[in-house]
Amino acid sequence: MTEGNFVDYVKIHVASGKGGSGSSHLHREKYVAKGGPDGGDGGRGGHVIVKGNKNLWTLYHLKFKRHIRAEHGSNGSKQRSTGAEGSDEYIEVPLGTVIRDTETQEIIHEITEDGKEYLIAEGGMGGRGNWHFKSSTNQTPRYSQPGIDGTEVDITLELKILADVGLVGFPNAGKSTLLSVITAAKPKIADYEFTTLKPNLGIVEYRDFKTFVVADIPGIIEGAAEGKGIGHRFLRHIERNSTLLFLVPADAPNISEQYEILLDELRRYNPEMLDKDRLIAISKSDMLDTELKLEMKHELDKNLGAPYLFISSVAQQGLTELKDRLWEMLNKETS
């Protein structure tokens, strides 16, 4: 998936269909005297329905759809014929999509199951035809009900990626490189900050044909929760990850301090993120010799409050151990 095709936030105006009007028809037929009222009911207006689709990964297909309208119901006709119902309009979204009311920002629903449908705008009911209103005292009603108007609402679709592991780190920590090595993903990699401007997903192939999904989240900087850098726009993608993998480069001035800054940004965005399992990977560790590694381990054991390991994506060092640790963390409840 290219960066330009990844869309995780769209606003749409949706409108359901209006119900058809009932008919005021009076029966006319040769040799049938005073046939009476036989006007049929109007058809229901079309619904607007949001449906989960596991084959979608982005909201790109909705990027240029600002208005979605369902079909109106048809009017009733003679011989008590009910008008046709308006066609329902389906909005297919990837799993992990949150539906909000744009005006109130209230969460309407979350789509997390494939094929699950949620009614966003209900179609208007069709009006009743005049044959419903006949009685002993009113044998020839010449009136019927109009159809009920449909519903209009502005909604915001917000995608939160459904991944098992979320990569968290400062710009240029090596997240994209790691993703490109342990998965088949091809994220943009370059020697400057904020290379990744959109989240990237990759599937890690583990032993015995087992897999898990890793999401590379655009780099966080100190103050991201206040909108610095690219802000906290992409932090919502970490909310659904069960495990967080923090990447801190081995040449960082202070590894423990960088980890605490990242942790603090997550805490300020959503304190519940700190309840997730955490693992720290010291990236670019191929530049360390054995003596320097032992010295760093001594410091990290004292100051780092989470499990860690040394890896190098370029030199392919420590990656098997990393996969093993992540798999254990993801499956510790079922083991």
Side-chain angles (χ1 to χ4, degrees):
M1 180 195 307
T2 63
E3 286 187 358
N5 288 344
F6 184 87
V7 176
D8 61 351
Y9 186 90
V10 294
K11 291 182 178 180
I12 303 174
H13 178 80
V14 301
S16 60
K18 177 183 177 181
S21 299
S23 171
S24 301
H25 189 266
L26 296 176
H27 187 81
R28 308 280 191 224
E29 189 177 347
K30 193 175 182 180
Y31 308 121
V32 179
K34 298 180 181 178
D38 71 341
D41 301 342
R44 169 185 64 77
H47 300 318
V48 179
I49 299 168
V50 176
K51 182 178 180 180
N53 185 339
K54 66 179 180 181
N55 297 317
L56 294 176
W57 292 89
T58 171
L59 297 171
Y60 180 76
H61 61 294
L62 299 172
K63 182 177 180 180
F64 304 106
K65 286 190 177 182
R66 295 304 182 204
H67 299 273
I68 293 179
R69 295 182 179 276
E71 189 179 38
H72 297 316
S74 300
N75 297 334
S77 59
K78 61 183 179 180
Q79 297 180 334
R80 299 187 185 182
S81 296
T82 302
E85 293 185 350
S87 298
D88 295 335
E89 194 70 34
Y90 285 87
I91 305 174
E92 295 201 345
V93 297
L95 305 188
T97 300
V98 176
I99 310 165
R100 291 182 185 273
D101 185 306
T102 302
E103 187 175 346
T104 64
Q105 287 301 299
E106 179 186 354
I107 293 179
I108 300 173
H109 197 66
E110 296 186 32
I111 303 294
T112 56
E113 296 178 33
D114 182 47
K116 185 74 177 290
E117 297 179 2
Y118 185 79
L119 181 63
I120 292 294
E122 186 175 0
M125 290 178 59
R128 293 194 295 175
N130 64 342
W131 75 273
H132 284 284
F133 302 106
K134 68 179 181 179
S135 66
S136 59
T137 56
N138 185 14
Q139 296 184 3
T140 314
R142 298 175 184 272
Y143 54 84
S144 59
Q145 288 181 330
I148 296 176
D149 289 334
T151 307
E152 295 194 31
V153 63
D154 291 307
I155 61 170
T156 299
L157 299 177
E158 197 175 89
L159 174 61
K160 295 182 180 181
I161 287 176
L162 289 172
D164 300 304
V165 179
L167 297 180
V168 184
F170 286 103
N172 262 14
K175 301 188 301 299
S176 297
T177 305
L178 175 63
L179 190 72
S180 69
V181 171
I182 64 174
T183 75
K186 303 297 180 188
K188 184 178 179 182
I189 301 171
D191 190 23
Y192 56 84
E193 294 188 348
F194 299 114
T195 311
T196 304
L197 297 176
K198 303 283 185 180
N200 290 300
L201 283 179
I203 299 176
V204 178
E205 294 185 359
Y206 191 58
R207 308 172 195 268
D208 301 323
F209 305 104
K210 297 170 184 171
T211 60
F212 58 90
V213 180
V214 176
D216 170 21
I217 310 301
I220 302 170
I221 65 169
E222 189 172 6
E226 280 78 47
K228 291 185 179 178
I230 51 179
H232 61 265
R233 177 181 168 190
F234 297 112
L235 287 179
R236 67 172 175 271
H237 293 299
I238 309 175
E239 289 181 328
R240 294 190 186 275
N241 305 149
S242 59
T243 299
L244 300 180
L245 176 61
F246 290 80
L247 251 70
V248 183
D251 58 352
N254 189 320
I255 292 175
S256 302
E257 185 178 316
Q258 285 210 2
Y259 169 65
E260 288 299 328
I261 292 172
L262 292 170
L263 214 55
D264 187 55
E265 290 301 324
L266 298 186
R267 182 188 297 113
R268 289 156 73 183
Y269 176 73
N270 183 354
E272 292 180 6
M273 287 193 181
L274 301 190
D275 297 332
K276 299 179 184 294
D277 291 332
R278 303 193 293 268
L279 177 65
I280 303 169
I282 314 299
S283 62
K284 307 178 183 179
S285 60
D286 53 312
M287 63 179 69
L288 306 175
D289 57 26
T290 306
E291 187 178 344
L292 192 52
K293 264 190 188 177
L294 289 172
E295 189 177 321
M296 287 181 67
K297 280 184 178 179
H298 181 69
E299 285 294 318
L300 294 174
D301 287 340
K302 289 192 301 181
N303 302 321
L304 214 55
Y308 68 91
L309 47 79
F310 291 91
I311 68 165
S312 171
S313 303
V314 175
Q316 305 271 312
Q317 294 176 2
L319 300 184
T320 301
E321 183 187 356
L322 175 64
K323 292 180 186 179
D324 289 340
R325 293 284 290 275
L326 289 174
W327 183 258
E328 288 172 12
M329 294 170 74
L330 292 171
N331 295 274
K332 63 179 182 180
E333 293 180 356
T334 57
S335 59

